[in-house]
Amino acid sequence: MSESTPPPHGLDPRAAAILREIMEEYVETGAPIGSRTLSQRLTPMLSPATIRNVMADLTQAGLLFSPHVSAGRLPTEKGVRLFVDGLLQFGSLGAEDRQTIAARLEPRGRSVEDVLGEASSMLSGLSAAAGLVLAPKNDAALKHIEFVALGPNRVLVILVSVNGQVENRVIETPPGLPPSALVEAGNYLNARLGDLTLSALRARVVTEMQADRHELDALAATVIESGLASWDETHGTLFLRGQGKLLTDITEIERLTTIQMLFERLETQETMLQLLQLAQDSEGVRIYIGAESGLFGMAGVSMVVAPARTLSQKIVGAIGVIGPTRLNYGRIVPVVDYTAQVIGRMLG
């Protein structure tokens, strides 16, 4: 911390310097650090006895704890929050990093799902944690719909929006479905697209089919209903990569089960809506430590999330990282921020 940077509320400069050093060691190794090691790192140098006194005060304040009787100290979640809010210096992305991210998320020749999945994988790789990308249900006007047989009882539904977005979903179909039923279903829907969004198209088709169902072959009607319903039943699509990175170094069965439950909850529609709400409530990147987000009541887990906005500032998704509280926030925050900008422009 520079001399011109005031310490966070409630800490003098010496205590702030010690908390920063402990937090940096925690981010780097996850291991506690003792007073003797700290005395060799701090400038100006302090005696181990002086450092122990300051560490005792920080522990009393709920900012540090000792995992073992004779061990050094680690930051509590309260300590991590104080560090993030008052001591952390966020890095900035250089031109090379920006070019690398933009190149990996280039949408040309790829579906939206491919790009969003790549974004999630990229965030996971850069953060050594789980990367998440949430895209809400596409409500752009449609240009084309196609049904492609994948095999017995399975059909790929392809939606192409006027803005160039491509979305795919697999549906189950009745056995023995002839190719003609897929062609008829596609022709029926494409003849009615106009400038309709998916929700408007579905409303129109439902009304027409109820009024004059005999125009369609029964199997083609089933394909249409299943295809449209496959989008109507979801509030969005969550891309989550790198879950296994949260399971490393976990030996307690209880902890392992808790992490697995976290991932199961993330994929529920309710949690997707909550994620979008968190994004809508954020001007930029937000850091949630432990249970602060309200999504999960877990100690030892942090989430960094940012809204993906179009140039007109419409929120079209949420971008983030979930990992241990010892995330490298200074590096991750600018990566999440820039990735959200790139995805926002693409979805806009």
Side-chain angles (χ1 to χ4, degrees), residues 139 142 192-193 195-206:
D139 202 32
L142 298 176
R192 288 157 175 78
L193 284 182
D195 292 324
L196 298 179
T197 64
L198 180 63
S199 57
L201 174 65
R202 187 176 190 280
R204 176 178 175 180
V205 168
V206 168

Side-chain angles (χ1 to χ4, degrees), residues 26 77 80 123-124 127-132 240-248 250 255 259 262-263 266 287-290 296 298-305 320-329 332:
Y26 177 56
E77 289 188 355
V80 174
L123 289 170
S124 174
S127 65
L132 68 88
L240 190 62
R241 304 287 189 272
Q243 298 98 310
K245 294 181 180 180
L246 274 184
L247 302 176
T248 57
I250 292 180
R255 178 80 171 154
I259 292 289
L262 163 64
F263 291 129
L266 274 172
I287 298 172
Y288 297 95
I289 298 168
F296 35 82
M298 285 187 63
V301 175
S302 290
M303 181 171 68
V304 179
V305 66
V321 164
I322 294 179
T325 50
R326 66 184 193 91
L327 284 172
N328 187 343
Y329 301 99
I332 291 171

Side-chain angles (χ1 to χ4, degrees), residues 112-132:
V112 172
E113 285 92 342
D114 287 342
V115 177
L116 298 182
E118 175 66 21
S120 181
S121 296
M122 180 190 71
L123 289 170
S124 174
L126 293 175
S127 65
L132 68 88

Side-chain angles (χ1 to χ4, degrees), residues 16-345:
I18 290 173
L19 177 60
R20 175 195 284 276
E21 198 66 44
I22 291 172
M23 185 65 194
E24 289 180 350
E25 178 70 16
Y26 177 56
V27 168
E28 182 68 26
T29 68
I33 185 170
S35 57
R36 187 169 299 280
T37 302
L38 281 170
S39 70
Q40 298 168 356
R41 295 187 183 183
L42 291 170
T43 304
M45 184 177 294
L46 298 173
S47 70
T50 299
I51 293 173
R52 281 195 295 272
N53 289 334
V54 175
M55 291 169 69
D57 291 340
L58 292 172
T59 302
Q60 183 68 28
L63 302 176
L64 300 179
F65 76 99
S66 177
H68 308 290
V69 174
S70 60
R73 295 294 192 274
L74 289 173
T76 62
E77 289 188 355
K78 181 180 176 181
V80 174
R81 169 52 66 192
L82 187 64
F83 171 80
V84 167
D85 289 344
L87 294 171
L88 181 61
Q89 295 177 344
F90 296 104
S92 59
L93 287 182
E96 184 176 346
D97 288 332
R98 290 171 178 260
Q99 290 171 2
T100 299
I101 291 173
R104 289 189 63 174
L105 303 182
E106 170 59 50
R108 190 173 304 154
R110 294 194 290 176
S111 68
V112 172
E113 285 92 342
D114 287 342
V115 177
L116 298 182
E118 175 66 21
S120 181
S121 296
M122 180 190 71
L123 289 170
S124 174
L126 293 175
S127 65
L132 68 88
V133 176
L134 176 62
K137 187 164 54 178
N138 183 14
D139 202 32
L142 298 176
K143 178 181 179 182
H144 182 73
I145 296 178
E146 188 170 352
F147 298 91
V148 179
L150 295 179
N153 306 343
R154 298 176 75 241
V155 167
L156 177 67
V157 189
I158 304 172
L159 291 186
V160 183
S161 304
V162 293
N163 59 12
Q165 292 186 36
V166 179
E167 295 189 44
N168 305 314
R169 189 150 303 166
V170 176
I171 61 172
E172 300 292 327
T173 57
L177 185 75
S180 59
L182 300 182
V183 174
E184 184 179 0
N187 290 342
Y188 181 88
L189 291 176
N190 286 309
R192 288 157 175 78
L193 284 182
D195 292 324
L196 298 179
T197 64
L198 180 63
S199 57
L201 174 65
R202 187 176 190 280
R204 176 178 175 180
V205 168
V206 168
T207 300
E208 288 189 6
M209 289 175 64
Q210 288 174 344
D212 202 9
R213 190 183 179 98
H214 69 272
E215 283 190 7
L216 272 174
D217 177 83
L219 288 175
T222 299
V223 170
I224 290 172
E225 290 171 345
S226 299
L228 295 180
S230 68
W231 268 273
D232 191 56
E233 292 167 356
T234 181
H235 293 290
T237 304
L238 177 68
F239 298 84
L240 190 62
R241 304 287 189 272
Q243 298 98 310
K245 294 181 180 180
L246 274 184
L247 302 176
T248 57
D249 300 326
I250 292 180
T251 55
E252 308 94 339
I253 295 299
E254 181 179 349
R255 178 80 171 154
L256 176 63
T257 302
T258 303
I259 292 289
Q260 291 171 333
M261 289 174 60
L262 163 64
F263 291 129
E264 290 175 3
R265 181 171 181 188
L266 274 172
E267 295 176 354
T268 66
Q269 294 298 319
E270 177 187 358
T271 302
M272 289 186 195
L273 287 175
Q274 287 179 290
L275 266 174
L276 283 177
Q277 187 61 53
L278 288 178
Q280 290 169 351
D281 292 342
S282 304
E283 288 298 322
V285 182
R286 291 283 299 274
I287 298 172
Y288 297 95
I289 298 168
E292 290 177 350
S293 68
L295 290 181
F296 35 82
M298 285 187 63
V301 175
S302 290
M303 181 171 68
V304 179
V305 66
R309 298 178 185 269
T310 65
L311 294 177
S312 63
Q313 296 304 299
K314 177 184 176 183
I315 293 178
V316 289
I319 313 296
V321 164
I322 294 179
T325 50
R326 66 184 193 91
L327 284 172
N328 187 343
Y329 301 99
R331 168 63 176 166
I332 291 171
V333 165
V335 169
V336 168
D337 185 33
Y338 187 68
T339 302
Q341 295 176 37
V342 173
I343 294 298
R345 290 196 295 267

